[in-house]
Amino acid sequence: MSRVVLITGGARGIGRGIAEAFLRAGHIVMIADLADSGAWNYNLADRSTMDEAVSQLGNLGDVASVPVDVTDSASCQNAVKETLGRFGRLDVLVNNAGVVASGPISQFEEKDWDRIFDVNVKGIYLMTRAALKALSDSNDAAVINTASIAGKKGSAGLSAYCGSKFAAIGITQSLALEFAPAGIRVNALCPGIVGTAMWHDHLMAGQGEAQFRERMTTLIPLGRPQETSDMGDAAVYLATAHNVTGVALSVAGGMEMN
Ligand code: NAD
């Protein structure tokens, strides 16, 4: 059955791959992302990124967009309201919006630490809380949180990001138990390394696609980075696997096996 899927951070990168996979599987998609990218150490999406995604994915099925800032409670509530107004219900929430910053903790700025936790952690709480009533009204509801393999193992220079992703997995497990009596499943998707803005504009900024792929051949057991379509396939699986809840599924080419 066709379900209505709301995807935060859905205008580009992994979120857009997830949107495409749900559309290809016959579902209805609301892309929710920033209307104004604001100040960060690399550019985030903006209204034009969302418009482009909707126009390019529109031939695959029913897709629309709504501006959201997942750090703002009223904005999260509005995104849910707009989804219900447009499509009449909400069955699947994908908490995918995220930001990264890296560096040794001695030089790591407090505002960057706060922003990472506001988007990557508090954003899950605010969006899930805003969507809960609508999800409870669905007879086939699921929440998917985009965590990371960085939520299973620490890395030097990534304490804020890893900490936020460990938190995302802890929240996933807790909500899976809390929502199980209501039949709402909650799972985490843990991407390995996907060549999005996070890598090209921050973690390996200034290095080209060839250098990125070259580095991944040694870093990843399967010898290649993951694609946004891999994340889309995994998200559709998690949304439709009716006896699976509380898992943190690594899609990482063997980089992480727990
Ligand atoms: P990306 O920067 O392309 O996508 C992140 C999206 O989140 C952007 O569209 C951005 O505009 C949006 N966003 C940021 N702050 C927001 C806010 N306050 N409100 C609403 N939207 C906001 O990067 P990506 O790699 O596609 O990241 C998607 C998710 O995947 C993130 O949660 C990230 O941590 C996770 N992830 C990425 C990788 C990777 O290798 N790229 C690996 C593991 C996990």
Side-chain angles (χ1 to χ4, degrees):
M1 199 191 104
S2 172
R3 291 151 88 198
V4 177
V5 185
L6 172 57
I7 305 167
T8 69
R12 71 178 199 195
I14 289 171
R16 184 169 154 164
I18 292 172
E20 179 169 344
F22 273 107
L23 286 166
R24 288 192 187 283
H27 302 289
I28 296 163
V29 169
M30 182 65 102
I31 287 173
D33 210 315
L34 292 171
D36 175 0
S37 80
W40 189 239
N41 65 57
Y42 53 96
N43 286 333
L44 302 174
D46 60 17
R47 168 86 62 176
S48 67
T49 324
M50 253 191 306
D51 290 347
E52 192 181 303
V54 169
S55 116
Q56 291 179 356
L57 296 175
N59 63 333
L60 296 176
D62 217 348
V63 53
S65 69
V66 62
V68 76
D69 179 346
V70 300
T71 67
D72 181 296
S73 177
S75 176
C76 293
Q77 286 166 19
N78 182 63
V80 172
K81 188 172 143 231
E82 292 283 322
T83 305
L84 296 176
R86 173 77 187 240
F87 297 122
R89 60 180 207 285
L90 173 61
D91 305 295
V92 180
L93 170 65
V94 185
N95 287 311
N96 169 79
V99 290
V100 69
S102 59
I105 200 151
S106 56
Q107 287 154 36
F108 205 88
E109 291 201 33
E110 191 175 339
K111 69 173 173 42
D112 290 350
W113 184 280
D114 287 345
R115 185 77 191 158
I116 286 177
F117 276 84
D118 276 354
V119 177
N120 299 7
V121 182
K122 192 176 177 189
I124 295 177
Y125 152 62
L126 291 177
M127 266 314 302
T128 306
R129 193 179 61 167
L132 192 52
K133 164 79 173 68
L135 292 172
S136 305
D137 290 342
S138 164
N139 58 11
D140 195 4
V143 177
I144 298 164
N145 298 320
T146 306
S148 172
I149 58 169
K152 295 184 173 183
K153 192 176 178 197
S155 285
L158 280 174
S159 52
Y161 185 73
C162 287
S164 75
K165 294 303 186 179
F166 270 76
I169 292 175
I171 294 165
T172 299
Q173 293 179 2
S174 302
L175 292 182
L177 292 170
E178 192 172 316
F179 294 172
I184 303 170
R185 295 175 304 98
V186 186
N187 292 292
L189 169 62
C190 298
I193 296 179
V194 188
T196 64
M198 284 197 174
W199 279 91
H200 290 306
D201 299 345
H202 179 71
L203 295 168
M204 282 186 72
Q207 301 179 53
E209 178 69 22
Q211 281 158 298
F212 172 73
R213 293 207 164 253
E214 170 68 23
R215 186 163 160 209
M216 295 316 143
T217 57
T218 50
L219 211 55
I220 302 174
L222 283 181
R224 56 180 182 270
Q226 286 74 64
E227 305 297 334
T228 58
S229 58
D230 297 324
M231 302 311 142
D233 292 345
V236 171
Y237 164 73
L238 290 174
T240 51
H242 288 117
N243 225 356
V244 175
T245 197
V247 309
L249 178 65
S250 296
V251 182
M255 277 186 86
E256 172 56 57
M257 298 189 175
N258 292 314

